[in-house]
Amino acid sequence: EMTQSPATLSVSPGERASLSCRASQSVTNKLCWYQQKPGQAPRLLIYDASTRATGISVRFSGSGSGTEFTLTISSLQSEDSAVYYCQQYAYWPYSFGQGTKLDI
Amino acid sequence: EVQLVESGGGLAQSGRSLRLSCTASGFSFYDYAISWVRQGPGKGLEWVGFIRSNSYGGTTEYAASVKGRFIISRDDSRNKAYLQIDSLTDEDTALYYCARDRYYGDRVVFRGLDVWGPGTPVTVSS
């Protein structure tokens, strides 16, 4: 089971946001992060806990291993307002966290 | 352009069956696994199932919540994956996405669910 915190985060433009994801058991580094804006499909940001997907801004960075993971978004912009999900793929079934809503 | 497009959603009666399709273009569909993910109204993402490449047997994995009612299949000649939902319940009302999953080339590579379709909505009425 994946648990994300906080449920909602409000941050000012230009600041940095840190979103947390905790796994109930070790997933080593087999963790992804996705961004979902209203009315859109999710977009992959990070895989293998810290590798940015193709075309993703360097403002997005992932860290962690085992059971504790963090998505950091620097120099926040209004376009970063979205819900962010973590997902583990270390074991079946895959599972998503419940999401963190980020308001800029 | 690398693309996935879902179809087949709509209004369905509780207890009936529905088959969703996922059509791929712009990449070697047969080399990839496909995952299905759903999102209930106002809710988060729920992974429901997965099908491997036929080069790895085309075998499937399912979430416990849908096992026995959901069946995923694929037809590489048509670049399509399918999600059949049997015995529909109100809890199946959701937007259903397909997403590109693992690559089965010289080695198995997973770089996230990196391509998603726009989703197809399913509404179950009782």
Side-chain angles (χ1 to χ4, degrees):
Chain A
E1 185 179 352
M2 309 302 292
T3 303
Q4 292 185 240
S5 61
T8 303
L9 182 62
S10 294
V11 188
S12 298
E15 294 187 342
R16 183 172 67 182
S18 292
L19 286 63
S20 176
C21 176
R22 174 176 292 180
S24 58
Q25 63 185 85
S26 175
V27 298
T28 62
N29 71 329
K30 297 186 187 306
L31 185 106
C32 290
W33 289 95
Y34 300 87
Q35 176 194 65
Q36 188 180 34
K37 296 180 179 180
Q40 296 184 16
R43 178 173 74 140
L44 174 69
L45 299 175
I46 301 283
Y47 63 93
D48 289 348
S50 60
T51 303
R52 271 185 298 277
T54 303
I56 300 303
S57 169
V58 296
R59 297 188 301 105
F60 293 88
S61 62
S63 62
S65 66
T67 61
E68 301 281 345
F69 300 88
T70 301
L71 174 69
T72 301
I73 313 169
S74 60
S75 303
L76 281 163
Q77 303 172 3
S78 57
E79 66 200 48
D80 298 327
S81 290
V83 179
Y84 292 83
Y85 295 93
C86 62
Q87 177 232 337
Q88 69 79 21
Y89 51 97
Y91 51 84
W92 300 106
Y94 287 171
S95 50
F96 287 94
Q98 80 278 21
T100 291
K101 183 179 181 184
L102 178 62
D103 290 324
I104 310 300
Chain B
E1 181 188 2
V2 175
Q3 198 173 351
L4 293 171
V5 178
E6 304 89 345
S7 58
L11 183 62
Q13 233 176 351
S14 180
R16 305 294 291 264
S17 296
L18 197 63
R19 189 175 82 156
L20 309 181
S21 298
C22 169
T23 304
S25 59
F27 66 97
S28 55
F29 177 74
Y30 54 87
D31 277 333
Y32 285 86
I34 294 292
S35 269
W36 285 90
V37 177
R38 69 181 178 182
Q39 187 167 35
K43 295 187 177 179
L45 302 174
E46 180 188 11
W47 179 84
V48 297
F50 162 97
I51 185 165
R52 293 176 177 82
S53 161
N54 279 328
S55 63
Y56 271 68
T59 50
T60 53
E61 306 286 345
Y62 297 98
S65 59
V66 304
K67 204 166 187 177
R69 288 197 308 118
F70 283 30
I71 300 171
I72 299 173
S73 59
R74 64 189 298 154
D75 182 346
D76 290 349
S77 69
R78 296 174 183 268
N79 282 355
K80 287 182 183 290
Y82 302 99
L83 174 63
Q84 178 160 329
I85 308 172
D86 293 333
S87 304
L88 283 159
T89 73
D90 291 348
E91 293 184 353
D92 296 322
T93 293
L95 185 62
Y96 285 75
Y97 296 103
C98 63
R100 191 171 76 169
D101 200 301
R102 294 160 200 244
Y103 171 69
Y104 292 88
D106 292 342
R107 57 192 180 100
V108 181
V109 176
F110 182 76
R111 295 197 178 101
L113 301 178
D114 64 343
V115 179
W116 294 66
T120 187
V122 171
T123 303
V124 181
S125 66
S126 51

